[in-house]
């Protein structure tokens, strides 16, 4: 009884403390709300003007798109209407190439080989982990919901599919990593094409009748001894588009070499650093135009849709299944991963990425969104530039969580539509090929559809059935691109947290070596700037 009496005050006091804490927080919140002035509201709106404009642009784009559908605009009119959106895409794509090269070179050169190696390992482990988790979520969701019930007879088909073998696609991926011409890599990617060729097949024959026919009629003998055989063979080809993978591999190698050159490589390091800064200033200018461009991109795509009626039945269930899978990955898995590793509030971090996520939704290209992602992470979330410059370009090229989830889910949906029962081994094959194919998917709109062919071929499913899901792909492509950009950004935050000690050590080393480097530079400056030695110090331009 005494024990019970002894415990009651403790529990009572604990409850009182909790109540007092709640009261204090409520009072503080009230004071903060009461102390808000017009200037505070103005400063908040100015700070978040871009984000607010972009969100409003998306809402207006959707409303405008659906309201204009009743006018049944022609293809030419739709193209003219979406022109402001096309301009935004072109502006962003213009900056992608110099941004990837300059950011990777400066990011790698700013670190020593040991630190960049550790950061690279952490980034790759994160990319592989999140991609595998995304594939597993896709498989589990599609098996549970089972959107492919019924037959495919009444389903709408759209577009054509280009056939490609898994082996050639994998070899193309490796070929693109090592472009023979860097200038060509800026606008072309290697791609294996297929053509029919006739081959002569010799027929071995020991018959004397054949020898007799040779003597009697040469032309007849040639037809008997040889036979023409038709065969589809792979031939080298190319497609238009930046070979981002090749440029990433070159930039990483180039950055490592410049970093190891130390004093000799300083001029190149400064050049790429200045280039990166100039590109980011151009991005800041383009951001003012972004809301208008996004508005017309979204409105134009909604107006362009031919028939809203096709999105019904199985396709509607498929769309809902993909959305649920992407939401689980983006809203639960990625923020939870960020919280468990960094012990920081993931929603504050994600809040700083709103403009990048909305741009991804509008452009449906993770590469085109890259300049905006840089700006959000570095300026709003304060992520170390050495981390973003390394992690983001690599992530935009190879880390495709949304695409991996979508490909695994779509493959099983097509199997369900065909009443094709997949065994455990085939599901494992789908998960492996979806993970590998997502790495090969370039950061361009609807690249996932091309790599879908590899996933379907791996388990013997009909590749022509991809045409069943093309009707909704324009919309789902935007959602999976947004998930890809979120995955890259959270990866940058996690890698920065895990690499904080190496970055601090590097800062300390750089601080200690500044005096030594300046002393080493003096003789060189005196020799090269003899004419300027008489000028006053104030006239020197500061970098």
């Amino acid at each position: 009884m005494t024990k019970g009496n002894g415990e009651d005050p403790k529990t009572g006091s604990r409850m009182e403390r909790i109540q007092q804490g709640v009261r204090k927080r409520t009072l503080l919140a009230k004071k903060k709300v009461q102390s808000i002035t017009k200037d505070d509201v103005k400063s908040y709106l100015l700070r978040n003007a871009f984000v607010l404009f972009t969100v409003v642009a998306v809402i207006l784009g959707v409303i405008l798109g659906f309201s204009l559908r009743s006018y049944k605009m022609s293809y030419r009119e739709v193209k003219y209407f979406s022109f402001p959106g096309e301009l935004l895409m072109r502006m962003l794509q213009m900056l992608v190439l110099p941004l990837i090269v300059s950011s990777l070179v400066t990011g790698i050169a700013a670190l020593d080989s040991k630190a960049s190696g550790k950061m690279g390992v952490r980034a790759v482990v994160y990319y592989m982990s999140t991609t595998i988790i995304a594939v597993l979520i896709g498989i589990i969701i599609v098996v549970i919901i089972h959107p492919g019930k019924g037959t495919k007879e009444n389903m709408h088909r759209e577009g054509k599919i280009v056939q490609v073998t898994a082996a050639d696609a994998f070899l193309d991926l490796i070929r693109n990593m090592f472009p023979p011409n860097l200038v060509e890599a800026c606008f072309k990617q290697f791609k294996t094409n297929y053509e029919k060729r006739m081959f002569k097949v010799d027929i071995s024959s020991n018959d004397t009748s054949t020898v007799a026919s040779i003597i009697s009629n040469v032309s007849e003998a040639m037809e008997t001894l040889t036979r023409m055989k038709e065969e589809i063979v792979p031939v080298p080809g190319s497609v238009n588009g930046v070979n981002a993978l090749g440029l990433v591999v070159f930039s990483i190698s180039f950055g490592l070499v410049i970093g190891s050159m130390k004093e000799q490589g300083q001029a190149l390091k400064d050049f790429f650093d200045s280039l990166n800064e100039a590109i980011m200033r151009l991005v800041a200018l383009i951001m003012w135009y972004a809301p208008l461009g996004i508005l017309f991109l979204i409105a134009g795509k909604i107006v362009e849709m031919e028939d809203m009626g096709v999105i019904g039945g199985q396709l509607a269930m498929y769309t809902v299944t993909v959305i649920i899978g992407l939401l689980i990955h983006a809203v639960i898995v990625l923020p939870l991963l960020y919280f468990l590793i960094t012990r920081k509030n993931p929603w504050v971090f994600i809040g700083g990425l709103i403009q990048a996520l909305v741009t991804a939704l509008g452009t449906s290209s993770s590469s085109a969104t890259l300049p905006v992602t840089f700006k959000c992470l570095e300026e709003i979330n304060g992520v170390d530039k050495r981390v973003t410059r390394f992690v983001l370009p690599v992530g935009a090229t190879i880390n495709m969580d949304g695409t991996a989830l979508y490909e695994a889910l779509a493959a099983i949906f097509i199997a369900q539509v065909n009443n094709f029962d997949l065994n455990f081994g085939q599901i494992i094959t789908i998960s492996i090929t979806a993970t590998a194919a997502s790495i090969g998917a370039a950061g361009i709109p609807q690249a996932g559809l091309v790599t879908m062919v590899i996933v379907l071929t791996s388990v013997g499913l009909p590749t022509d059935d991809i045409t069943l899901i093309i009707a909704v792909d324009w919309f789902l492509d935007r959602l999976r691109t947004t998930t890809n950009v979120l995955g890259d950004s959270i990866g940058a935050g996690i890698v920065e947290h895990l690499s904080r000690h190496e970055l601090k050590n590097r800062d300390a080393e750089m601080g200690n070596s500044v005096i030594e480097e300046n002393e080493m530079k003096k003789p060189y400056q005196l020799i090269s700037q003899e004419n300027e030695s008489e000028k006053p110090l104030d006239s020197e331009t500061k970098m």
Side-chain angles (χ1 to χ4, degrees):
M1 193 75 183
T2 53
K3 195 177 179 183
N5 291 336
E7 276 182 2
D8 285 335
K10 281 183 184 178
T11 51
S13 63
R14 197 178 294 153
M15 284 299 293
E16 281 171 18
R17 265 184 270 141
I18 291 165
Q19 284 172 354
Q20 282 174 357
V22 170
R23 281 194 212 106
K24 276 183 184 177
R25 284 180 184 178
T26 310
L27 284 167
L28 281 167
K30 274 185 182 177
K31 282 179 183 176
K32 276 186 181 178
V33 171
Q34 285 167 359
S35 64
I36 290 170
T37 61
K38 284 183 179 179
D39 292 331
D40 292 333
V41 174
K42 277 183 184 177
S43 65
Y44 175 80
L45 291 172
L46 284 169
R47 272 198 320 272
N48 298 285
F50 283 138
V51 177
L52 293 168
F53 283 145
T54 313
V55 171
V56 168
V58 171
I59 296 162
L60 287 175
V62 172
I63 295 165
L64 185 65
F66 279 109
S67 59
L68 289 173
R69 278 186 65 79
S70 57
Y71 289 96
K72 294 190 171 24
M73 293 162 78
S74 68
Y75 181 77
R76 184 185 286 272
E77 287 168 342
V78 170
K79 280 292 167 196
Y80 289 155
F81 175 73
S82 346
F83 181 69
E86 187 191 335
L87 273 184
L88 175 67
M89 281 294 288
R90 293 174 79 89
M91 285 178 191
L92 290 171
Q93 285 167 345
M94 172 183 70
L95 300 181
V96 168
L97 176 65
L99 189 62
I100 286 175
V101 175
S102 63
S103 61
L104 268 174
V105 170
T106 49
I108 298 289
L111 299 162
D112 57 8
S113 55
K114 193 178 179 183
S116 58
K118 282 184 178 178
M119 198 185 285
V121 168
R122 284 168 189 146
V124 169
V125 168
Y126 167 80
Y127 295 152
M128 292 309 295
S129 305
T130 52
T131 306
I132 290 163
I133 290 166
V135 167
L136 291 173
I137 289 168
I139 290 168
I140 291 162
I141 290 293
V142 75
V143 168
I144 291 169
I145 297 174
H146 208 285
K149 285 177 186 172
T151 60
K152 62 180 180 182
E153 304 306 321
N154 300 323
M155 288 182 74
H156 173 78
R157 287 181 182 271
E158 215 173 274
K160 288 181 180 179
I161 297 301
V162 179
Q163 297 298 325
V164 61
T165 63
D168 288 330
F170 180 69
L171 290 173
D172 284 354
L173 185 68
I174 297 167
R175 286 185 188 110
N176 280 319
M177 286 170 75
F178 306 100
N181 187 331
L182 272 177
V183 176
E184 193 181 50
C186 298
F187 57 89
K188 272 188 182 179
Q189 296 180 34
F190 185 92
K191 186 182 181 293
T192 300
N193 292 329
Y194 300 94
E195 64 177 43
K196 289 178 181 178
R197 283 191 187 171
M198 303 297 285
F199 290 96
K200 287 182 180 180
V201 180
D202 291 331
I203 303 168
S204 57
S205 177
N206 296 323
D207 283 341
T208 52
S209 60
T210 312
V211 178
S213 67
I214 293 168
I215 296 160
S216 63
N217 194 329
V218 176
S219 62
E220 226 175 87
M222 289 303 293
E223 281 176 14
T224 313
L225 288 168
T226 59
R227 186 176 64 202
M228 299 302 286
K229 183 187 174 186
E230 190 179 77
E231 193 177 329
I232 295 170
V233 292
V235 290
S238 62
V239 286
N240 291 329
V242 177
N243 179 5
L245 197 60
L247 293 172
V248 162
V249 170
F250 171 78
S251 302
I252 289 171
S253 311
F254 198 54
L256 283 168
V257 171
I258 291 172
S260 65
M261 286 168 71
K262 293 182 181 174
E263 184 64 26
Q264 285 178 303
Q266 191 61 44
L268 273 173
K269 201 187 289 186
D270 291 341
F271 166 74
F272 281 107
D273 214 6
S274 300
L275 177 63
N276 190 264
E277 188 59 38
I279 296 297
M280 290 314 294
R281 290 191 185 191
L282 279 173
V283 172
L285 290 171
I286 289 169
M287 283 305 94
W288 287 104
Y289 178 73
L292 184 71
I294 287 167
L295 188 154
F296 282 97
L297 270 174
I298 290 172
K301 201 69 200 176
I302 290 168
V303 171
E304 200 180 322
M305 283 191 302
E306 287 179 12
D307 184 16
M308 295 290 284
V310 300
I311 307 168
Q314 288 160 293
L315 208 54
M317 278 304 294
Y318 163 74
T319 307
V320 169
T321 308
V322 174
I323 292 168
I324 291 168
L326 292 172
L327 279 174
I328 289 169
H329 189 71
V331 178
I332 298 169
V333 173
L334 292 175
L336 186 65
L337 206 60
Y338 180 82
F339 173 73
L340 290 173
I341 294 168
T342 64
R343 297 289 171 185
K344 291 176 188 173
N345 186 348
W347 299 109
V348 173
F349 188 85
I350 292 166
L353 297 168
I354 288 172
Q355 196 173 9
L357 298 176
V358 173
T359 307
L361 190 72
T363 60
S364 79
S365 169
S366 49
S367 292
T369 312
L370 196 58
V372 190
T373 316
F374 266 108
K375 197 166 176 58
C376 289
L377 279 174
E378 291 176 4
E379 293 183 14
I380 300 170
N381 287 342
V383 178
D384 195 303
K385 284 185 178 182
R386 288 168 293 182
V387 176
T388 55
R389 287 174 181 183
F390 173 63
V391 173
L392 284 183
V394 178
T397 311
I398 66 169
N399 184 38
M400 304 276 176
D401 296 349
T403 307
L405 185 149
Y406 169 82
E407 286 182 354
L409 196 153
I412 295 172
F413 169 75
I414 287 167
Q416 289 172 355
V417 164
N418 285 286
N419 295 315
F420 189 90
D421 291 324
L422 296 166
N423 57 40
F424 183 71
Q426 287 170 318
I427 289 172
I428 294 293
T429 305
I430 286 172
S431 62
I432 293 166
T433 49
T435 306
S438 70
I439 295 166
I444 53 173
Q446 296 187 334
L449 280 178
V450 179
T451 52
M452 265 296 296
V453 176
I454 301 164
V455 182
L456 294 179
T457 308
S458 67
V459 286
L461 287 166
T463 52
D464 289 340
D465 284 355
I466 296 173
T467 54
L468 298 171
I469 58 175
I470 287 176
V472 291
D473 190 72
W474 71 271
F475 173 65
L476 297 176
D477 188 28
R478 281 164 159 67
L479 298 181
R480 63 179 185 258
T481 302
T482 309
T483 309
N484 292 341
V485 170
L486 180 64
D488 296 343
S489 305
I490 284 179
I494 288 170
V495 170
E496 186 203 32
H497 179 78
L498 296 172
S499 306
R500 62 194 185 281
H501 299 304
E502 284 92 344
L503 294 169
K504 280 179 186 175
N505 292 340
R506 183 68 177 163
D507 288 338
E509 282 173 25
M510 291 298 287
N512 293 335
S513 64
V514 164
I515 300 162
E516 291 173 25
E517 283 183 16
N518 287 342
E519 284 175 2
M520 285 171 72
K521 280 182 190 176
K522 276 180 186 175
Y524 171 76
Q525 286 176 342
L526 286 167
I527 293 162
S528 64
Q529 297 176 351
E530 281 174 348
N531 298 333
E532 296 175 16
S533 59
E534 293 174 10
K535 289 182 184 178
L537 287 168
D538 294 337
S539 68
E540 288 181 9
T541 52
K542 292 178 184 178
M543 287 296 285

